[in-house]
Amino acid sequence: ISADRGIIEKSPEGRWTPGRGGVLGVSRESVGELRRLLVIHEGMHGIIYEVDEFHRGVARYWRTNLTERERRYWQDMFAWMNYSPDDEYLMYNEFQAYLLQQSERGVPWYFRIRMADRVRNFAGRYEPVDVFLRDHPTTFEAAAGAINALLFRTTGMVGGDPFCLVPVEG
């Protein structure tokens, strides 16, 4: 199926090489709303893999628009989820996927309530969650707005709604 769809291609030497596109999968064990969120999150990874301008823009935003303190907070949050916080590529890739897995309207609740509650008691590497949230009252909203604008400019999509795409039959 992957070869038929051009996801992988056979080289003249007979080796399999990357084509275009990818495979997206999530567990059917998840409840409907969680599965929808997971599909969107994983889809955002697909966008960063496939759209070079989006990839470069996300990396640039991570490196230049976020302060060191903001990046450290994201690293702490991802460390709580058992991601490797010292892997910069992983950090900005997850950063964009978590920001864009819901609409911009959902970002404040998701990061300031849900994730903050989960990370609050984590023995993080940097600072307490409440201190960061107090000192950065619009960090998540600003990042979501900028990354969502980048997504729209480079793909025509908006965060939280990749279902505007047309499925491939078969």
Side-chain angles (χ1 to χ4, degrees), residues 36-132:
R36 183 181 194 282
L37 187 74
L38 293 171
V39 166
I40 296 168
H41 179 96
E42 296 307 322
M44 293 301 106
H45 288 306
I47 300 299
I48 204 169
Y49 300 145
E50 288 294 316
V51 181
D52 290 338
E53 185 180 353
F54 180 69
H55 184 153
R56 287 189 307 272
V58 169
R60 185 172 40 256
Y61 188 92
W62 174 265
R63 292 174 184 141
T64 62
N65 292 77
L66 294 179
T67 66
E68 182 179 339
R69 192 171 174 202
E70 288 169 313
R71 282 190 304 274
R72 284 193 322 247
Y73 182 85
W74 281 94
Q75 289 170 310
D76 247 10
M77 187 171 59
F78 290 137
W80 172 83
M81 292 186 270
N82 292 316
Y83 290 111
S84 176
D86 298 320
D87 182 336
E88 183 190 40
Y89 172 78
L90 179 63
M91 291 296 98
Y92 69 74
N93 192 341
E94 292 300 334
F95 162 77
Q96 64 83 25
Y98 275 93
L99 283 172
L100 296 173
Q101 70 187 11
Q102 67 273 307
S103 69
E104 283 184 63
R105 190 175 68 245
V107 165
W109 175 84
Y110 187 81
F111 290 102
R112 294 187 174 284
I113 306 299
R114 184 173 191 185
M115 290 309 294
D117 284 346
R118 291 177 172 183
V119 179
R120 192 166 270 115
N121 296 317
F122 174 63
R125 303 184 319 173
Y126 302 110
E127 66 181 303
V129 171
D130 295 317
V131 172
F132 178 82

